[in-house]
Every structure is written in structure tokens, then in C-alpha cells.
Amino acid sequence: HHMANGNGVYPHAAKHGASFGRQLQQQSVPAWFATSSAARFSGAGGMGSPTATSTPRGTDQKLKAGMYGVVRSLLRVLERGVAGKAILDTCLDACSAMQNLREAMTTYRGRLMAESKESRRAQLMGVCLEYLERYCMLIALTSYLTWPRFDPAAPGHVTFQDWMDSRPELRSVLSRMLRRNPLSALELHIPAATLLHDSPAGHQGADDDADQAARSQAEARADIVIESRSGAVLGALTILKEDYFPGMKSSRLPQVLPGASNFRRTAGPPVYGVAMCTLDGIRNVLTAVAQQQEQAGGPKEVLWFNMREEPMVYINGLPFVLREQQWPMKNLQEYAGIDAERLERMEARLKQDVLLEAAHHNGRILVARESAAAPCSLTEQHHSGTGELVDMWEPISGPDAVQAPAEVYAALAAEGLGVRYLRVPVTDGKAPSAGDIDAIMRQVGRALRGTFWPVHVRGQQQGREAHAVANKTWAFVSCSNWALGS
């Protein structure tokens, strides 16, 4: 391995004073390279001039070959992009005793899709994006080294930095396609089918270039919608991500209630836990708890704590949470420490934002759903894995189709379902603060004064919900003993 000096010049190349492309043709190369597919792109081994490679069919094979959308765009704009990628891939394969960078991207992408914990998913996405950016930069570097004018010994030699700076389109590809929309860069973002059909390129399932063109145009249309948002809470570059998704279900827990993932009860006091629920899921939980309490001779009313620290809203009975477009799988950390009153005021404004935007888009709102799999084609609705984000137009039939969480529980209580709703925002992945525990104690103490109440905790499937279940079990026992004077 050789290191470049401060001017980006490789000493061994400067000594020879000839372009890298001519060196490949004139010097003997390792046998593994001379017989590789990359040799025909470089002219080494007498294999001739660069020709196009065939793109592997199928998403898995295509990505394992490094043919991500951002890579394909890069190859189109680089003068010797296809040749550079072929040379790089051959080198990566020859140096893969510990890890193959190209294949590692696919491996980490698979781990990302299988991971349910949001904090871990954010970490895995960071690794995937770092590897993909590194791969793109290495393609650019290899294209630079095979550039006919590459000659470190020549007067006025152009360094790699200068070469990149003279090609702003390369930075544009990386900035727009890699950093701005990470899920799209990792082929984990699927544009809304209606946006896809509206794209001038249309959809040709058998034509990868047409697929990519249609996807790019559909993503551009979605970007316009998201960039033009001007709500008080649902502002520019924010999205509404569905908060009930397949990946939230824990494999360690039986899924006993539809619409209420990870529902379970602690041993002893009537304290329950559950991940975010749909409206039907909430009904199922309340019904199940009421039946259990009726059999046990206890009260049927439930004290329901929502631990979400981010603003959320229900649309057509489905929960949606506010997220940044660039990091849709990551919790909004800037609201850490917000109190329940301010958070619920934000949710009321978010509801109005949704209704106003839906009126602007003919009674529909663009949302993002996390699917169970990658579809076989861009327009299919069938999925078989986890972790992809799918743009969807969600119809809004009227004001009643959109509800803040507090409104959902108020309406259920008005229907006669026994529930008292309380919001105690807790930062995900952290134990509740002393103030959070005080708030829990006060609410449980008031509810339990003179009687036992079922206590129900709702949050994410891991982190704050686990802490909350433990704290509320303790709070239940402490407050009930005090309330009963024992």
C-alpha cells in the first residue's frame, strides 16, 4: 500500500511519470487482475476497450453488485465510471479477507431492515451510508486514476481534489441522492404509486434504467410536496411516519391483540404494557383489560399513560408521528424534556396542519408507511421483509378523520369505554426523570385513592416503555398501600 503526499500525488506513480491508464496497458499486472472482468475496462491483459457491463437482475443481486441508485447516477456522469467501478470491484474482491466493502453495504442493509429498535436502526443506517459514500468516492478516485491526463510528474498536474472541484455534478449526486434522502440512497424508500404513475418516465418493470428514471421523478415530486410544507408543526422537510409498523412487534412476546403489538401484563398488580396502537387496537386493549378486571372483581376503568415525547396524530384510526425527512427512523431528540401540556398543544396544531394541507391536495395527505418488505416491483403492494419506507397518499374525508391522541381517548370515554388518558413524555431509551416519576406517582395516587385501578402503559416496544412498566408497578403498589392506609 502506498500513501499520497500532501499534494495528492502518489510517489510511485510520480516516479514512473506516465498515466495510470498507460501503465495498466504497458506494465505487467497481477494474474488475478489480468484475468478479471475489470481488465477489459482498463485495457490491461490485451482485453480491449471499455464496454458496458450487464446489470444483475433482482434487487438482492443488484445491490450485492453495488448497483445502488446513487452509484448508477455516478457511473453515468463519470467519464470512465463503469471502468472505474469494475477496477474497484476487482480490487475489493481481491482484498476481502476481512471484509468486502461492496458486499458489507448489503449485509448492514439487511441488518438494518431486520432491526426493530430505533436507536440501533439509526446506528446501522449511519454505517450503511458511510460505506456507500466511501464506495462512491473510491469509484470517483479510480476513475481519476484511469483518467488519460493523470500524470503526477507532468507540469500542472491536476490533483484529485482539483479534479473533484472541477466536477460539481459529482458533489451534487452525493449531496442530493446520498445525504439528503438516506433511505432512498439505500433503496429503502418507495415513492407513492400515484406519484410513480404520474412520472413522465412511466414504469417498465423489465427496464432498470426506466425503473430508476420513474423512481427518481416520483421522488422529486414527493420532495416538492415535502419541501413546500408550511404548517406550524408540519413544516418544510418534515414527514408523517406511521407509528404502527410490522417491525415493532417483538419476537419474544406473543401477539395476542390485533392492532396492539406487544401487549402484556406484569406479574402481580394489574399493570400492562403495549407498543403504539391503532384505534381498533386501543379498543381491543380496553375490552381485554375490562374483561380481566371483571373476572377479578376489580374496576373496569383503565388509567392509560402515553409516554411518547414526539408530536403525533391519528389519521383514519392509524397513528402517525412527526419525523425529519432526512432521518425518518430516528426520534426527534430536540423535544427532550417537553412537558405534556406543551406537547399536546403541538399535537393540536399538527392536526390543523394536516387538515389544511389535505385541503390543498384535494382531500389527501402524503404520509410514509414502513412496510414489511421490499416489493418485487415499484408498484406492487406485496412485501416480505422489514424496514422500507413507502410514500402513500392517505385520504382525508373530513375533520373527523384526523384526531390528536387526547381527542381519541376522550371520544372512547364518551362511548362508555372506561379509560382515563394521561400524557407523561419520556425520552426514548432513557429512564424516566425524577419529575416524570413524580408525575406518575401523583396521577396513580389520585386514581388509586381508596381503590385499585388497572394501570396501562403505552410507548415504544423497548426503552421507555420497559422503564415505565417497572416504575408504574412500583407506583401502583406504593400508592395503593398509602391510599388504603396499610
Side-chain angles (χ1 to χ4, degrees):
H1 296 277
H2 300 276
M3 295 298 294
N5 62 28
N7 295 321
V9 175
Y10 287 78
H12 69 287
K15 180 177 69 174
H16 290 297
S19 74
F20 186 69
R22 291 197 299 274
Q23 290 178 46
L24 283 176
Q25 296 177 10
Q26 296 168 1
Q27 299 176 5
S28 56
V29 295
W32 59 262
F33 186 85
T35 58
S36 71
S37 60
R40 63 192 171 97
F41 293 96
S42 64
M47 299 287 291
S49 60
T51 56
T53 54
S54 59
T55 301
R57 293 295 178 185
T59 300
D60 290 342
Q61 290 301 314
K62 183 170 65 177
L63 298 185
K64 192 173 182 180
M67 295 302 287
Y68 292 82
V70 61
V71 173
R72 297 198 297 271
S73 292
L74 199 62
L75 298 185
R76 285 193 291 267
V77 76
L78 283 168
E79 294 92 337
R80 293 179 58 83
V82 176
K85 181 181 183 302
I87 295 169
L88 173 62
D89 286 344
T90 301
C91 294
L92 291 176
D93 293 341
C95 303
S96 59
M98 293 185 64
Q99 177 173 269
N100 186 310
L101 174 64
R102 183 189 66 252
E103 296 180 357
M105 293 187 294
T106 308
T107 301
Y108 276 94
R109 180 181 180 273
R111 290 174 59 184
L112 167 63
M113 294 175 68
E115 180 60 55
S116 60
K117 190 173 182 180
E118 291 194 36
S119 59
R120 181 59 180 157
R121 293 184 65 163
Q123 294 173 356
L124 290 170
M125 182 176 291
V127 173
C128 289
L129 292 173
E130 181 183 336
Y131 281 12
L132 183 53
E133 183 170 13
R134 188 181 305 175
Y135 185 63
C136 289
M137 291 301 294
L138 285 172
I139 291 174
L141 175 62
T142 310
S143 301
Y144 163 73
L145 294 175
T146 60
W147 184 40
R149 291 171 55 191
F150 175 77
D151 189 350
H157 169 66
V158 179
T159 66
F160 179 59
Q161 182 66 54
D162 292 339
W163 185 84
M164 285 289 293
D165 290 343
S166 67
R167 291 163 172 77
E169 66 276 9
L170 301 183
R171 298 288 185 188
S172 177
V173 168
L174 294 177
S175 175
R176 181 165 185 84
M177 297 190 67
L178 182 61
R179 302 187 187 98
R180 184 171 179 180
N181 193 336
L183 284 182
S184 178
L186 296 173
E187 306 280 334
L188 291 173
H189 175 243
I190 304 167
T194 51
L195 291 173
L196 192 65
H197 289 313
D198 291 343
S199 299
H203 174 71
Q204 302 293 331
D207 188 330
D208 287 333
D209 288 337
D211 259 1
Q212 178 60 27
R215 180 192 288 265
S216 297
Q217 291 165 2
E219 288 173 359
R221 292 172 66 86
D223 283 345
I224 291 173
V225 173
I226 295 169
E227 288 172 1
S228 64
R229 283 179 164 159
S230 58
V233 178
L234 186 62
L237 303 179
T238 59
I239 65 170
L240 289 172
K241 177 186 173 293
E242 187 176 8
D243 214 21
Y244 180 82
F245 51 93
M248 73 195 309
K249 297 179 180 179
S250 173
S251 59
R252 295 173 295 179
L253 293 171
Q255 303 300 323
V256 296
L257 294 180
S261 299
N262 309 330
F263 175 71
R264 72 274 193 194
R265 177 180 173 173
T266 62
V271 178
Y272 302 78
V274 72
M276 282 297 163
C277 302
T278 65
L279 178 56
D280 288 340
I282 298 172
R283 294 179 186 276
N284 292 335
V285 167
L286 294 176
T287 300
V289 172
Q291 290 174 349
Q292 290 182 16
Q293 290 305 300
E294 184 176 17
Q295 293 172 1
K300 299 178 183 179
E301 191 168 22
V302 173
L303 186 62
W304 192 303
F305 287 85
N306 183 350
M307 317 304 291
R308 256 291 180 207
E309 196 176 45
E310 301 159 290
M312 58 177 295
V313 68
Y314 277 80
I315 303 176
N316 296 326
L318 298 174
F320 290 87
V321 65
L322 185 73
R323 291 288 167 86
E324 291 285 346
Q325 180 193 24
Q326 187 174 10
W327 299 106
M329 305 297 187
K330 186 178 180 181
N331 291 324
L332 294 176
Q333 299 293 334
E334 58 263 38
Y335 300 127
I338 191 171
D339 65 32
E341 185 178 355
R342 289 198 301 273
L343 184 55
E344 291 187 339
R345 287 202 298 265
M346 281 185 68
E347 289 173 337
R349 296 196 298 272
L350 177 59
K351 171 187 174 179
Q352 293 305 313
D353 290 345
V354 171
L355 291 173
L356 288 173
E357 185 171 318
H360 181 71
H361 291 293
N362 299 316
R364 58 183 188 172
I365 184 82
L366 188 67
V367 300
R369 288 203 170 106
E370 193 172 337
S371 73
C376 298
S377 70
L378 292 178
T379 55
E380 288 185 6
Q381 299 300 312
H382 176 69
H383 305 277
S384 60
T386 60
E388 289 164 318
L389 209 63
V390 185
D391 284 338
M392 293 287 180
W393 283 111
E394 186 72 18
I396 305 292
S397 59
D400 293 341
V402 185
Q403 293 175 292
E407 294 177 320
V408 169
Y409 291 90
L412 291 172
E415 292 176 13
L417 291 172
V419 61
R420 184 186 298 185
Y421 175 75
L422 298 161
R423 190 67 168 268
V424 180
V426 176
T427 302
D428 190 33
K430 295 183 179 180
S433 67
D436 295 331
I437 295 175
D438 286 343
I440 293 169
M441 291 291 290
R442 284 195 301 271
Q443 297 295 347
V444 175
R446 291 168 186 165
L448 294 176
R449 194 178 295 272
T451 187
F452 284 100
W453 281 48
V455 181
H456 194 77
V457 187
R458 188 182 77 172
Q460 284 301 87
Q461 66 273 23
Q462 301 182 41
R464 61 186 147 201
E465 185 196 344
H467 285 295
V469 169
N471 277 299
K472 288 183 178 60
T473 302
W474 170 72
F476 182 94
V477 175
S478 300
C479 290
S480 59
N481 285 342
W482 170 79
L484 296 173
S486 58

